[in-house]
Amino acid sequence: MQIVILNDATEVAAYGADIFTAQLNKNANSILGLATGSTPVALYQALIERNKAGEMSFKGVTSFNLDEYLGLDGSHLQSYRHFMNSQLFDHIDIDNANTFVPPGDAKNPISACHEYEEKIAQKGGIDIQLLGIGRNGHIGFNEPSSGLTSRTRVKTLTKATIDDNARFFGADEYQPHLSITMGIGTILDAKKVVLLATGDNKADAIQAMIEGPLTAACPASALQMHRDAVIVIDTAAASKLKDIEFYRHIEAENQKLQAYLASL
Ligand code: F6R
């Protein structure tokens, strides 16, 4: 894992936006894996600004979102489809027909999961997968105990996740307790994975992901097995790392190596 520790959430968003901008300028037909939640909002804002400034285009891009609530259709204000339209897709030059979110209103959710996997494979696989992390170490809606090689499937949400996300739902509004989510195996298949985390409420999960054992009890620890996982965090999210100075040192050395390679 490449561990990048930055000062604050603004720097984390800008660093993430740099990775996505470079990817789109390298391959205009990139396949992007996207996430919802509070963490990527600033990154999406940065991408919108860069797209409007002509720094890159989404015209050839195909996107696949990690997850969706089962039981909400895309017009529901709390659906992840609605989130993606309002936070990103409606403001960039992407072709909406090339944006995929698991169908929360699928009549047969099990076949919808298989079809989602097939669609990703058909498009040639995901180039960069964006991730946030839950306080319990979940990625996507892969809650603790999720199989480390799991594929897209229906998952039951933990009480912790339901409580964390209750802030988005009205007091008397139906809040789903099931989801369709890419599996951990699906996420690990992405060529590159970029996980963003900010704030001290993520510090325990970040510590477990980076320094804990590889275990289904912390689904994000599966990223220890990925060949190109970049973990971009602010100092608050990094605050419980035991070996923080070593990670800063490795990254400084990495920067020097990149600068040297660029000078060749
Ligand atoms: C969202 C997702 C979740 C979130 C995680 C963190 O598509 O898959 O795993 O990334 O719950 O959410 P925030 O960013 O709201 O703290």
Side-chain angles (χ1 to χ4, degrees):
M1 286 190 274
Q2 181 189 355
I3 302 163
V4 182
I5 302 167
L6 301 169
N7 290 320
D8 54 30
T10 310
E11 287 186 17
V12 167
Y15 193 99
D18 284 349
I19 294 178
F20 278 85
T21 306
Q23 173 67 29
L24 294 196
N25 285 328
K26 190 175 78 179
N27 177 7
N29 300 316
S30 292
I31 314 296
L32 303 182
L34 299 176
T36 60
S38 310
T39 312
V41 170
L43 161 66
Y44 291 156
Q45 200 53 51
L47 292 179
I48 291 167
E49 283 162 20
R50 291 174 189 209
N51 182 231
K52 287 197 192 308
E55 287 177 38
M56 75 329 202
S57 170
F58 290 83
K59 279 192 181 126
V61 165
T62 298
S63 71
F64 288 94
N65 262 81
L66 279 169
D67 45 13
E68 178 60 285
Y69 288 117
L70 192 55
L72 301 189
D73 71 44
S75 65
H76 192 288
L77 292 184
Q78 303 313 332
S79 71
Y80 284 174
R81 160 56 76 182
H82 180 269
F83 175 99
M84 289 309 299
N85 288 349
S86 61
Q87 297 293 332
L88 184 65
F89 300 149
D90 287 351
H91 313 285
I92 57 175
D93 61 353
I94 200 164
D95 179 349
N96 223 37
N98 293 331
T99 67
F100 298 94
V101 178
D105 58 349
K107 199 162 165 211
N108 181 336
I110 304 300
S111 23
C113 293
H114 295 308
E115 285 159 20
Y116 203 66
E117 285 280 336
E118 276 161 23
K119 179 67 86 181
I120 295 171
Q122 226 176 57
K123 297 282 179 184
I126 291 172
D127 293 307
I128 299 194
Q129 176 65 56
L130 177 64
L131 296 173
I133 185 170
R135 281 187 308 129
N136 61 5
H138 74 207
I139 46 175
F141 272 138
N142 294 286
E143 301 284 32
S145 83
S146 288
L148 297 180
T149 61
S150 49
R151 310 304 304 186
T152 302
R153 69 212 184 290
V154 174
K155 277 299 285 182
T156 306
L157 307 184
T158 59
K159 184 170 178 325
T161 297
I162 293 170
D163 290 349
D164 277 352
N165 291 353
R167 66 190 193 278
F168 299 113
F169 291 83
D172 49 3
E173 199 174 6
Y174 167 68
Q175 186 184 352
H177 56 279
L178 294 175
S179 67
I180 294 181
T181 181
M182 281 186 201
I184 296 176
T186 320
I187 292 169
L188 291 178
D189 279 353
K191 295 178 188 83
K192 185 182 190 81
V193 171
V194 178
L195 183 145
L196 308 185
T198 58
D200 52 13
N201 62 335
K202 298 294 172 69
D204 284 318
I206 290 295
Q207 196 276 332
M209 171 181 72
I210 295 173
E211 297 179 328
L214 171 64
T215 168
C218 176
S221 68
L223 300 183
Q224 294 173 14
M225 299 287 289
H226 197 278
R227 65 189 181 282
D228 189 4
V230 188
I231 313 300
V232 191
I233 52 182
D234 66 359
T235 45
S239 59
K240 295 208 171 155
L241 290 172
K242 297 189 176 76
D243 241 344
I244 188 163
E245 287 317 319
F246 181 54
Y247 310 136
R248 287 188 195 277
H249 173 64
I250 301 173
E251 186 49 22
E253 290 299 313
N254 181 42
Q255 296 296 332
K256 281 188 219 160
L257 179 62
Q258 295 308 323
Y260 165 71
L261 292 174
S263 75
L264 290 180

